[in-house]
Amino acid sequence: MISEKMNDLLNRQVQKEFYSAYLYLGFEAYFQHQNLDGFANFFRVQVQEERDHAMKIFNYITQAGGKVKLYQVDEPEDNFNSAEEIFEQTLKHEQEVTKSIYNLVDNALAEKDHGTNTFLQWFVTEQVEEEATVDKVLRKLQLIKNDPHALLMLDAELATRVYTAPAAETV
Ligand SMILES: [Fe+2]
Ligand SMILES: [Fe+2]
């Protein structure tokens, strides 16, 4: 059984994961408008992953004897004018999410809630992957600068990203 505090922190994390999905959906729309279908696909896959993150925590809350409370999801920021700015903002956002996950782990350890700590370790690993993936694309965009040919090559590369649904028992 999770504590009330842990329960609320997990509910807040569900909200953050849905916000991530919403933020990335906005990025997908931007790239669709730019006819950069590969970049749009990259964020379409990311939106699906974020929804999975939210649902994984949503399911855990009930499983661990807690109560789900759905908080309001804010309108996402939309002040960006280039692919590079979008990936800078994505990296910054994922770094914030990592901090939030670490805070959850700190709380689980402080409460000696080893069940929740073990559950959260999946997210700790996932955040390392998220930051690395985004950083890699950002570095390529920094190399590309304003070369449209190179940008289209990266767009073609990002078109190959495929969403893998998680195994049923893990969501
Ligand atoms: Fe996430
Ligand atoms: Fe991921």
Side-chain angles (χ1 to χ4, degrees):
M1 186 104 180
I2 48 176
S3 73
E4 241 174 73
K5 185 181 178 193
M6 195 76 243
N7 193 159
D8 191 55
L9 287 172
L10 290 167
N11 279 327
R12 294 283 176 192
Q13 193 64 35
V14 170
Q15 177 192 32
K16 285 180 185 135
E17 300 295 344
F18 277 122
Y19 177 79
S20 300
Y22 219 27
L23 178 68
Y24 297 154
L25 197 57
F27 294 164
E28 180 190 342
Y30 168 84
F31 285 119
Q32 279 185 3
H33 287 299
Q34 301 288 317
N35 280 319
L36 290 168
D37 296 338
F39 281 93
N41 173 66
F42 178 91
F43 281 104
R44 167 66 58 94
V45 172
Q46 199 56 39
V47 167
Q48 289 167 306
E49 277 203 9
E50 297 307 337
R51 283 200 310 242
D52 289 344
H53 297 168
M55 293 314 295
K56 209 177 166 80
I57 301 165
F58 172 98
N59 290 336
Y60 176 76
I61 292 168
T62 310
Q63 193 194 10
K67 191 168 181 290
V68 171
K69 155 95 183 125
L70 296 173
Y71 288 111
Q72 181 173 332
V73 180
D74 287 341
E75 187 178 321
E77 302 249 354
D78 64 349
N79 52 340
F80 45 79
N81 286 302
S82 68
E84 193 176 333
E85 276 179 33
I86 284 180
F87 275 84
E88 277 167 4
Q89 290 180 17
T90 303
L91 183 59
K92 222 176 117 210
H93 179 69
E94 286 303 327
Q95 286 166 342
E96 288 300 318
V97 173
T98 301
K99 272 191 211 158
S100 179
I101 296 288
Y102 285 7
N103 182 48
L104 289 176
V105 172
D106 287 347
N107 191 73
L109 290 174
E111 291 186 8
K112 300 192 195 303
D113 179 353
H114 298 292
T116 302
N117 175 45
T118 298
F119 166 74
L120 289 169
Q121 291 309 306
W122 183 91
F123 286 89
V124 171
T125 308
E126 172 67 9
Q127 283 310 116
V128 175
E129 186 242 52
E130 298 285 54
E131 287 188 29
T133 306
V134 173
D135 189 52
K136 202 168 171 182
V137 179
L138 177 59
R139 280 162 190 267
K140 285 184 183 178
L141 285 167
Q142 286 163 346
L143 275 178
I144 286 171
K145 297 212 186 309
N146 292 317
D147 177 352
H149 181 69
L151 187 70
L152 288 175
M153 280 177 68
L154 180 56
D155 188 59
E157 184 188 320
L158 296 181
T160 63
R161 187 179 186 198
V162 178
Y163 169 67
T164 315
E169 70 275 11
T170 66
V171 183

